[in-house]
Amino acid sequence: MIIFYHPKFQRMYKKVSKTVQLLAEEREGIFRLDVFDARLNTHKLHGKLKNQWSFDVDNSNRIIFEFDDEDIIFLAIGDHSIYR
């Protein structure tokens, strides 16, 4: 599995706090070992985001991603406003 970072994700990542960036890197390590690790709360999204998934960085922040065959694309990072 290769994780690709969408340009939107990269821009959003630079805007979140350093603390969230460090937590996201830690969570990504867990994600690389097991996408569905219980600590991540990985779940499929609904509505207009029905083809995408999300996992928790912390209580407020999420990473939205999608599966692309055997690879993964990180699309967005941030609080719940990223779902809009």
Side-chain angles (χ1 to χ4, degrees):
M1 160 184 74
I2 297 173
I3 297 176
F4 294 95
Y5 305 95
H6 191 278
K8 179 181 175 183
F9 175 86
Q10 293 173 338
R11 285 191 305 273
M12 294 174 85
Y13 181 82
K14 291 176 185 176
K15 293 180 182 179
V16 297
S17 71
K18 193 64 157 172
T19 303
V20 173
Q21 289 178 0
L22 293 172
L23 284 170
E25 290 171 15
E26 180 182 311
R27 292 301 182 132
E28 182 180 338
I30 296 168
F31 183 87
R32 286 179 180 276
L33 295 174
D34 180 2
V35 172
F36 296 102
D37 188 297
R39 295 173 284 181
L40 298 175
N41 188 32
T42 304
H43 57 282
K44 188 157 180 53
L45 300 177
H46 303 281
K48 66 180 182 173
L49 303 176
K50 67 181 178 184
N51 296 322
Q52 299 170 356
W53 295 73
S54 173
F55 70 88
D56 297 352
V57 173
D58 59 18
N59 289 334
S60 307
N61 294 282
R62 311 284 180 268
I63 291 178
I64 294 177
F65 68 96
E66 66 185 15
F67 292 98
D68 182 33
D69 295 323
E70 295 179 15
D71 299 323
I72 291 175
I73 303 169
F74 280 10
L75 301 170
I77 183 172
D79 61 19
H80 283 94
S81 66
I82 63 175
Y83 294 121
R84 294 184 198 132

